[in-house]
Amino acid sequence: MNKIDIVLIAAVAENGVIGRAGDMPWHLASDFKRFRAITMGKPQIMGRKTFASIGKPLPGRTNIVVSRDPGLAIEGCLTAATLEDALALAKADAVEKGMDEICIQGGGEIYRQAIHNADRLRITHVETALEGDTTFPEIDPALWKVTEEERLPAGEKDDYPTCYKVYERRR
Ligand SMILES: NC(=O)c1ccc[n+]([C@@H]2O[C@H](COP(=O)([O-])OP(=O)(O)OC[C@H]3O[C@@H](n4cnc5c(N)ncnc54)[C@H](OP(=O)(O)O)[C@@H]3O)[C@@H](O)[C@H]2O)c1
């Protein structure tokens, strides 16, 4: 059986900001398209607040929402009381569907816990610094090396230019 990698996927401003007032502080249609392509078919783990900001399960993917509320039930999603339980559910789903990645899609609280066990980071660096209340943890170059990089000028439906980078954990 192939290894199943744990991958954090996020859009991050130059000052680390990823969110403001429960939402994303930008509109980036090109990045949304890339996110959809990268994540399709793969299990998705997200914090309860990120799910609330999206408002509905992402189609074509198993959505796993992490919450400490044992009574939480969300139509179309699996729920998990711990990150470890969420990872176990995601792994079973990936095995069943023949997928090689588990996607951790935020938000700040979940990224901060999950980065320690991650194999790969897929980061869209948003080329602006702006105010926000949620940040991505530091990406330490001693631990992570860039293996892919693609700069994208702002398209018609993008607020800012971006640079998409894939980081692999140094072994
Ligand atoms: N730029 C990006 O790529 C990106 C991606 C995703 C999200 N965001 C933004 O990030 C913000 C949301 O992030 P956030 O940090 O506020 O919240 P979050 O990480 O989405 O969710 C936090 C919630 O997850 C649950 N949780 C966290 N750790 C847990 C654990 N170990 N065990 C069980 N449950 C756990 C708790 O839910 P309960 O309170 O129910 O117990 C907690 O309140 C929003 O602004 C969103 O738009 C940005």
Side-chain angles (χ1 to χ4, degrees):
M1 192 178 70
N2 288 341
K3 183 175 177 300
I4 297 167
D5 290 326
I6 298 175
V7 181
L8 269 53
I9 180 160
V12 184
E14 285 161 359
N15 57 345
V17 164
I18 61 164
R20 182 170 58 214
D23 211 341
M24 294 220 216
W26 44 63
H27 182 73
L28 297 167
S30 310
D31 192 55
F32 183 70
K33 212 170 145 191
R34 185 205 309 274
F35 174 85
R36 192 174 185 282
I38 289 171
T39 59
M40 193 48 68
K42 300 172 185 171
Q44 307 294 306
I45 295 178
M46 71 204 87
R48 194 259 310 157
K49 292 181 184 171
T50 290
F51 178 78
S53 83
I54 301 171
K56 56 181 187 328
L58 297 172
R61 288 146 282 189
T62 296
N63 291 240
I64 303 165
V65 179
V66 189
S67 169
R68 295 186 181 92
D69 173 2
L72 184 72
I74 303 170
E75 204 181 324
C77 296
L78 301 177
T79 53
T82 65
L83 188 53
E84 292 70 28
D85 286 357
L87 286 165
L89 286 171
K91 192 169 176 191
D93 183 75
V95 169
E96 188 189 317
K97 304 218 171 93
M99 295 292 157
D100 58 1
E101 287 189 345
I102 291 168
C103 300
I104 311 270
Q105 55 155 74
E109 208 182 307
I110 295 295
Y111 289 139
R112 220 163 288 287
Q113 299 168 66
I115 196 167
H116 305 293
N117 292 318
D119 300 292
R120 184 171 304 120
L121 312 176
R122 297 185 178 277
I123 306 295
T124 298
H125 292 279
V126 185
E127 298 189 345
T128 184
L130 30 70
E131 301 232 329
D133 51 31
T134 317
T135 56
F136 195 82
E138 190 210 347
I139 301 172
D140 181 350
L143 299 180
W144 297 99
K145 72 163 182 258
V146 177
T147 56
E148 247 181 85
E149 184 166 342
E150 189 195 352
R151 191 164 185 278
L152 209 63
E156 224 172 80
K157 294 180 180 167
D158 303 319
D159 290 344
Y160 305 102
T162 57
C163 186
Y164 171 71
K165 293 187 188 177
V166 179
Y167 298 81
E168 299 286 336
R169 183 180 288 283
R170 293 182 192 277
R171 303 279 172 198

